[in-house]
Amino acid sequence: MFLRSVALLFVLASGSLAQNTTYQNPILPGFHPDPSCIFVPERDDTFFCASSSFLVFPGIPIHASKDLQKWKLVSNVLNRPSQLPGLNTAKRATSGIWAPTLRYRDGTFYLVTTLVYDDYPKNSSARFDNLIFTSEDPYTSTAWSDPVHFEFPGYDSSPFWDDDGQVYITGTFAWEVSPGIQKLPLNIDTGEVGPTKNIWNGTGASAPEGPHLYRKDGYYYLMIAEGGTGAGHMVTMARSTSIDGPYEGHPHNPVLTNAGTTAYFQNVGHADLFQDGEGRWWAVALSVRQGSDGSYPMGRETVLTPVTWEEGEWPIFSNVSGKMSGWHIDSAPVVEDGEGSLVDSSFYGRFEPGSELGPEFVHWRFPVEGDYGISKEGSLQLRSSRANLTGSDGRSAEKEGQTFVGRRQVHSLFEFSATFDITALKREEEEAGVSVFLDQLHHYDLGIVMLPSSTKRKLSSSSNITSLAPHFRVRGITTVPAFTSSDLAVTAIPSPWIGQSITLKIQAKNITHYELSAGPLGKKAEMKTIGYGNGLGLTWGFTGVLLSVYATTNGRTGEFETFVSEWKYDGIGQVVGK
Ligand SMILES: *[C@@H]1O[C@H](CO)[C@@H](O)[C@H](O)[C@H]1NC(C)=O
Ligand SMILES: *[C@@H]1O[C@H](CO)[C@@H](O)[C@H](O)[C@H]1NC(C)=O
Ligand SMILES: *[C@@H]1O[C@H](CO)[C@@H](O)[C@H](O)[C@H]1NC(C)=O
Ligand SMILES: *[C@@H]1O[C@H](CO)[C@@H](O)[C@H](O)[C@H]1NC(C)=O
Ligand SMILES: *[C@@H]1O[C@H](CO)[C@@H](O)[C@H](O)[C@H]1NC(C)=O
Ligand SMILES: *[C@@H]1O[C@H](CO)[C@@H](O)[C@H](O)[C@H]1NC(C)=O
Ligand SMILES: *[C@@H]1O[C@H](CO)[C@@H](O)[C@H](O)[C@H]1NC(C)=O
């Protein structure tokens, strides 16, 4: 007994001393919500994280790291439409892939998640399609299996392997219908489930969800999120010696939250716990970086925090901020395998002829084959869609697709630009441009669009020959009441620029506004600001901003092709507060 306490004291002392690594949050900046992470010694001591992707495709990104700091995109679990055709029938921007849980067991990676049809009634069991994807090679997108579907009329499903090998799912029903954390046995190979049991209701806050079970020191620890994914978000815990309960809540819940503080990192919750190679605990959670005006257009990001968890005790989480201290991790190289780049990489695109778009490029739902290509000259070739970025009703997939491809905004401050060859734009309302895009009902677009030329319109009224000319047009679509607007600016392209390649640029020089500007390729001094978009107009829902290009006929028949070259994304800085 004496020896044991001495050993414990020593562990405690060295434990706190070793929290001497400094690192920066978020570890996965930008649209990377609902994180779930694991450490896999069998795969060369590597950490892997998954995050939610809602309607973007490819989806369910997997990032890997050796040191918890340099995170590389290594694969996308959802990488072929045949895996999940339902993604295109789900309506509303809050639909799609919610909250994956990533686990590793005997050589196999398991990714359990839910495709949510968020426009269905809350009590409809058809609202939730629960899924198990598996892979033995997390570095290759196509190695991820087609999903096994299992019956569970809820979401946030997370697998747990009990001591006897039996797998249980914990999850939650739509809280408006029947709040409470549910547990059910699952055959993880076949998807066969047993009876569902309500095991804990949380501490009484709204929306108990995001459950994960952990086994430690003879207890089942249940960790959940409560309070909703906004300002009241928090992490709470309960434990029991039996998986069925009764679960006893931590006497000092919540174990982690920034609610009620003025911290720059807000909405902290939906956590997952894992141990590193030396057995020390860490948690990941989602958080937003919220400006003083309440805006967070980058959406819910992944943050990391160290956890002290002594034998038989409750875990103690460090509070989440931008500048963190954590357990010492020997400096380690970047993960070598995998398809993508570091999560906060800048990007200078020349597109290699014959190549495909990298795994960082995403579409809104499934891309229409043939609408995207890479030309012999190394440009991205886009064939226009009839639908623009809003589409027919702002919430459904368009039969003929939406020609759109983007990458996540992963820095607070950045410059993004793309250069367009617009010679193919001929008919009225044909438009190609760049967009800072959250979803179909929240986006600011800077387009080059064919519109009647204002000077010639009078002359042609008698002959009815309308003369069209390319214009810059900024449009802002948002449901955030104070910022609802349509055309923010329309201006004819200066005649000396016509016939040249035009560069369109979106930049954030501060954390509240996007500046939209244009100019002829290579002539920096001639760049002209066309308009501004306010980040508050893009602060909505569950996703984060994508910086993107598009081509559309705005509902008219016909199509055109445009070439995008010089795609540049320059990360300029992270604003992380204290
Ligand atoms: C942190 O602590 C570890 C282990 O105690 C030690 O090896 C390492 O050098 C320390 N690092 C710093 C930056 O002090
Ligand atoms: C779902 O809720 C609606 C409205 O409250 C009700 O009319 C309907 O019967 C319910 N359906 C089921 C399957 O419980
Ligand atoms: C959760 O709340 C429901 C409704 O109040 C109650 O019937 C149920 O017993 C509670 N579950 C637990 C595990 O306490
Ligand atoms: C986190 O911050 C809260 C106050 O906001 C404080 O009560 C708590 O002790 C802090 N936790 C730790 C582990 O420092
Ligand atoms: C011009 O076009 C408009 C609508 O397209 C039509 O109503 C009008 O009759 C035309 N005028 C002439 C002179 O052709
Ligand atoms: C951010 O930039 C916008 C556009 O340039 C400007 O209107 C706004 O005042 C700036 N905000 C701050 C806090 O500097
Ligand atoms: C999108 O296209 C529709 C016609 O299909 C049009 O009414 C709407 O103004 C366009 N909106 C945007 C933002 O381009």
Side-chain angles (χ1 to χ4, degrees):
M1 189 59 212
F2 172 75
L3 273 177
R4 189 161 164 266
S5 0
V6 168
L8 196 63
L9 269 178
F10 175 76
V11 169
L12 270 173
S14 64
S16 50
L17 277 179
Q19 256 196 38
N20 63 2
T21 291
T22 58
Y23 67 93
Q24 186 174 291
N25 271 324
I27 53 162
L28 301 180
F31 171 22
H32 295 104
D34 309 320
S36 172
C37 304
I38 52 175
F39 173 69
V40 186
E42 296 88 334
R43 297 296 169 102
D44 198 18
D45 289 342
T46 307
F47 300 93
F48 296 90
C49 292
S51 47
S52 304
S53 53
F54 294 85
L55 290 175
V56 306
F57 179 87
I60 322 175
I62 302 293
H63 289 86
S65 176
K66 298 273 189 191
D67 65 356
L68 292 170
Q69 297 182 38
K70 300 182 286 287
W71 289 92
K72 182 179 177 183
L73 174 64
V74 294
S75 64
N76 285 300
V77 174
L78 186 57
N79 56 79
R80 42 191 198 275
S82 60
Q83 283 172 302
L84 204 57
L87 194 75
N88 257 26
T89 62
K91 294 180 180 169
R92 280 190 104 216
T94 52
S95 288
I97 296 291
W98 284 25
T101 297
L102 181 64
R103 296 291 183 256
Y104 175 86
R105 183 92 182 169
D106 300 334
T108 300
F109 290 80
Y110 292 87
L111 189 294
V112 176
T113 188
T114 316
L115 169 58
V116 178
Y117 296 85
D118 206 29
D119 60 318
Y120 286 19
K122 305 273 187 206
N123 60 357
S124 161
S125 58
R127 188 166 179 252
F128 303 104
D129 184 3
N130 278 284
L131 309 163
I132 306 155
F133 295 90
T134 55
S135 178
E136 285 172 17
D137 174 11
Y139 297 108
T140 305
S141 292
T142 53
W144 285 98
S145 70
D146 289 342
V148 170
H149 301 253
F150 65 96
E151 287 291 325
F152 174 60
Y155 63 100
D156 286 359
S157 41
S158 166
F160 167 75
W161 278 257
D162 206 351
D163 297 339
D164 60 3
Q166 174 63 51
V167 179
Y168 294 95
I169 288 289
T170 54
T172 189
F173 295 153
W175 60 273
E176 299 91 332
V177 175
S178 171
I181 302 303
Q182 316 295 327
K183 178 224 84 178
L184 59 158
L186 169 79
N187 180 326
I188 202 156
D189 300 318
T190 64
E192 195 184 333
V193 295
T196 297
K197 184 176 163 58
N198 167 219
I199 53 169
W200 195 45
N201 285 342
T203 63
S206 70
E209 60 187 10
H212 296 299
L213 270 179
Y214 309 91
R215 186 97 168 104
K216 188 175 185 295
D217 312 327
Y219 288 104
Y220 295 89
Y221 283 87
L222 177 61
M223 184 168 73
I224 74 167
E226 287 188 70
T229 195
H233 210 200
M234 57 186 178
V235 181
T236 59
M237 287 187 91
R239 69 183 182 188
S240 173
T241 50
S242 155
I243 191 164
D244 281 321
Y247 281 84
E248 165 216 0
H250 184 342
H252 303 298
N253 273 323
V255 293
L256 181 67
T257 188
N258 273 359
T261 70
T262 55
Y264 184 43
F265 286 72
Q266 285 293 322
N267 305 5
V268 173
H270 199 112
D272 192 10
L273 283 160
F274 58 93
Q275 278 173 288
D276 66 21
E278 307 205 20
R280 297 161 310 191
W281 289 87
W282 298 85
V284 282
L286 73 78
S287 177
V288 300
R289 286 182 278 173
Q290 182 168 328
S292 54
D293 62 347
S295 66
Y296 48 88
M298 295 171 79
R300 303 177 304 154
E301 311 179 286
T302 294
V303 294
L304 174 74
T305 192
V307 175
T308 304
W309 200 350
E310 301 302 342
E311 190 179 341
E313 303 294 324
W314 295 94
I316 300 164
F317 295 63
S318 292
N319 286 321
V320 169
S321 64
K323 292 173 188 152
M324 298 289 298
S325 298
W327 308 116
H328 171 79
I329 294 215
D330 287 327
S331 68
V334 172
V335 168
E336 274 178 27
D337 295 333
E339 297 171 353
S341 50
L342 290 181
V343 66
D344 57 352
S345 296
S346 290
F347 177 78
Y348 302 92
R350 168 173 159 82
F351 299 93
E352 285 307 317
S355 69
E356 289 181 2
L357 287 174
E360 302 85 359
F361 288 86
V362 294
H363 303 276
W364 194 245
R365 300 195 177 88
F366 300 138
V368 170
E369 227 174 293
D371 284 355
Y372 309 85
I374 290 172
S375 75
K376 287 198 293 290
E377 293 74 30
S379 297
L380 174 62
Q381 190 172 353
L382 300 178
R383 185 165 70 198
S384 63
S385 56
R386 187 201 276 252
N388 57 29
L389 297 184
T390 307
S392 53
D393 64 0
R395 61 203 302 273
S396 313
E398 297 295 322
K399 258 204 206 104
E400 299 158 42
Q402 288 172 297
T403 300
F404 166 90
V405 58
R407 297 168 63 104
R408 289 164 172 84
Q409 177 190 343
V410 291
H411 296 83
S412 323
L413 310 177
F414 70 88
E415 285 187 17
F416 160 63
S417 61
T419 296
F420 290 78
D421 168 4
I422 54 156
T423 49
L425 301 189
K426 294 279 189 301
R427 284 157 295 204
E428 190 166 354
E429 285 292 339
E430 289 188 341
E431 175 174 355
V434 293
S435 179
V436 47
F437 179 94
L438 184 74
D439 61 53
Q440 287 170 262
L441 292 178
H442 303 87
H443 51 99
Y444 295 105
D445 312 333
L446 167 57
I448 298 169
V449 54
M450 297 304 284
L451 291 173
S453 129
S454 51
T455 51
K456 288 180 186 157
R457 199 180 284 158
K458 279 190 198 108
L459 293 176
S460 61
S461 61
S462 55
S463 60
N464 246 359
I465 303 164
T466 315
S467 141
L468 297 174
H471 288 67
F472 294 124
R473 178 168 68 189
V474 175
R475 295 213 274 193
I477 299 295
T478 171
T479 61
V480 179
F483 296 94
T484 306
S485 56
S486 50
D487 289 12
L488 300 181
V490 181
T491 167
I493 297 190
S495 43
W497 295 5
I498 295 176
Q500 305 187 45
S501 291
I502 304 282
T503 299
L504 302 178
K505 185 172 190 175
I506 301 175
Q507 58 189 320
K509 290 180 182 162
N510 64 34
I511 60 171
T512 60
H513 286 73
Y514 296 97
E515 183 178 328
L516 309 163
S517 56
L521 170 61
K523 298 187 183 146
K524 244 190 169 163
E526 290 185 41
M527 288 296 287
K528 214 170 109 164
T529 300
I530 314 293
Y532 294 93
N534 191 309
L536 207 42
L538 305 179
T539 300
W540 188 87
F542 302 151
T543 62
V545 150
L546 306 170
L547 300 164
S548 53
V549 302
Y550 64 93
T552 176
T553 60
N554 281 302
R556 312 211 172 188
T557 48
E559 60 184 39
F560 64 90
E561 285 201 333
T562 186
F563 295 88
V564 179
S565 56
E566 306 282 322
W567 182 311
K568 288 189 185 156
Y569 172 83
D570 240 325
I572 290 175
Q574 296 291 6
V575 177
V576 300
K578 282 180 270 174

